[in-house]
Amino acid sequence: MDHVRLNSLVSNARACIADRKRAGVMRFFDGTEKVRFVLFHAAMSFCSQKVRATLSQRGIAYESNEMLILASRDRNGNLVPAENYGAEYVRLRRSGQLSGVAGLADGYSGISSVSLCGLDACAVPTLVDLKTGEVIVDSLRICVHIDSSVDGSESLIPIFDQDRQRVYRQLEAVDATPHPGLLYGFHPYEDRRPQVLRDAMKMVYDEKLETLAALTARHSADPGVVEAYQAKISKESAGRAVQRDAVFQEAIRKATRERLVQLNLDLQQSTTDWLCSNSLSLADIFWAVSLVRLRYLGLAVLWEDLPLVEAYYGMVTSLQSVREEVIKATMASMPPSAYLSPETEARSFGFVKNG
């Protein structure tokens, strides 16, 4: 993309962030060279956590633009739209759709994978590569792009074909796990999410749809933005329809359990401490983010009879990148969870002795 247009898109998207202290923040920057990557993300976003952990693990400098991705009410009760719904941000993401991304996501499966579901133009993360002029809107592609763009011996993608294929299979497994469905959905008889989170999710779809209806009317003269909002309305309406659907909620939990069983089997077959190769890979980063999110939601019960998964959780969450960009970020940005707290995490690593 032309760099003048790209810089304009980025600048306009930054303006969607109300608090300027969250926009244009340099991370891991040592002042020696120009920052290449611009990231739009959210602290609580599962897919954003994958990207930030990858950047941290590789020690790559980037410009951080942290967005608030849930609507809120002001003191007068008026709805304040989520920042990632802003028209200028939507335009930035849609510019990345030209890079081989399929159509807009207008259905709901509980999965956030762009490759499987299409582009949600109101989602995070979005990565801008100022060197190549690319806008990348799929978190899996973002992480692979970051790793392949930087030289060094600490690559997270193995050089041997067999190991690389194993890594990609794991990335796709995590990508196809229904993390959003588990976050937003009400399980019929065993909803283990923190009570505060459950309360917040009661009206989340109504607020999303109210916001999108207002934004669609406000930007009626821009067909590209309206098309994105209409697809989002269709997607969120479908999500609301299954939020309390017992069959759907059972199905996504069963699918998650099946992926964990397969992970346990893959760990059993691994000949090293890591999942796919002799060293840490992107597969380990992705699974760390997934397991932390599942534990936060109270779903570590899905692997309580899978001892290799529990041991693996302890290993991958000992990584500083995961502790900072996933565990710490989750605790700071989401309602407290007894399943994921400083005390429980300290005990899992043996830092606190039982009295």
Side-chain angles (χ1 to χ4, degrees), residues 179 182 256 260 290-300 303:
H179 298 99
L182 297 169
T256 304
L260 292 167
S290 178
L291 295 174
V292 168
R293 176 55 56 92
L294 294 175
R295 184 179 286 274
Y296 169 84
L297 296 173
L299 295 178
W303 73 75

Side-chain angles (χ1 to χ4, degrees), residues 59-92:
I60 298 171
Y62 66 98
E63 178 195 302
S64 167
N65 295 280
E66 183 183 343
M67 311 190 91
L68 300 182
I69 59 172
L70 291 177
S72 59
R73 299 277 178 181
D74 64 19
R75 63 182 62 185
N76 297 318
N78 299 312
L79 192 64
V80 179
E83 292 170 343
N84 54 305
Y85 284 22
E88 297 293 354
Y89 177 69
V90 170
R91 293 187 185 102
L92 175 66

Side-chain angles (χ1 to χ4, degrees), residues 147-301:
D147 190 68
S148 64
S149 299
V150 181
D151 295 330
S153 60
E154 303 300 320
S155 175
L156 298 171
I157 302 292
I159 60 174
F160 297 111
D161 286 342
Q162 190 173 25
D163 291 345
R164 186 185 298 112
Q165 290 171 12
R166 281 197 288 263
V167 167
Y168 277 108
R169 182 169 66 83
Q170 298 296 337
L171 301 185
E172 291 166 358
V174 173
D175 214 32
T177 301
H179 298 99
L182 297 169
L183 175 66
Y184 288 106
F186 289 79
H187 193 271
Y189 58 85
E190 195 180 14
D191 192 338
R192 301 177 61 86
R193 297 172 301 166
Q195 185 62 51
V196 177
L197 181 63
R198 278 183 269 172
D199 292 341
M201 292 303 166
K202 290 177 181 177
M203 297 297 295
V204 68
Y205 283 111
D206 292 336
E207 291 180 341
K208 287 184 176 188
L209 293 169
E210 180 183 342
T211 298
L212 289 162
L215 289 171
T216 300
R218 186 183 307 168
H219 297 283
S220 59
D222 189 327
V225 170
V226 168
E227 182 185 32
Y229 286 150
Q230 289 175 338
K232 182 71 167 172
I233 288 171
S234 177
K235 175 186 173 181
E236 300 302 340
S237 297
R240 182 172 63 177
V242 296
Q243 188 183 28
R244 296 179 181 273
D245 184 285
V247 174
F248 180 84
Q249 297 301 326
E250 281 280 12
I252 62 174
R253 189 170 291 195
K254 179 181 177 182
T256 304
R257 163 66 181 183
E258 289 172 351
R259 296 199 181 282
L260 292 167
V261 170
Q262 183 61 53
L263 172 62
N264 196 71
L265 179 60
D266 293 340
L267 288 166
Q268 185 177 1
Q269 294 175 343
S270 176
T271 58
T272 72
D273 290 338
W274 302 106
L275 181 56
C276 297
S277 64
N278 290 325
S279 59
L280 174 72
S281 76
L282 199 55
D284 302 303
I285 298 292
F286 271 43
W287 270 114
V289 181
S290 178
L291 295 174
V292 168
R293 176 55 56 92
L294 294 175
R295 184 179 286 274
Y296 169 84
L297 296 173
L299 295 178
V301 294

Side-chain angles (χ1 to χ4, degrees), residues 130-144:
L130 296 175
K131 182 177 180 180
T132 65
E134 294 176 89
V135 177
I136 309 175
V137 295
D138 180 340
S139 62
L140 194 160
R141 286 188 59 222
I142 289 172
C143 294
V144 172

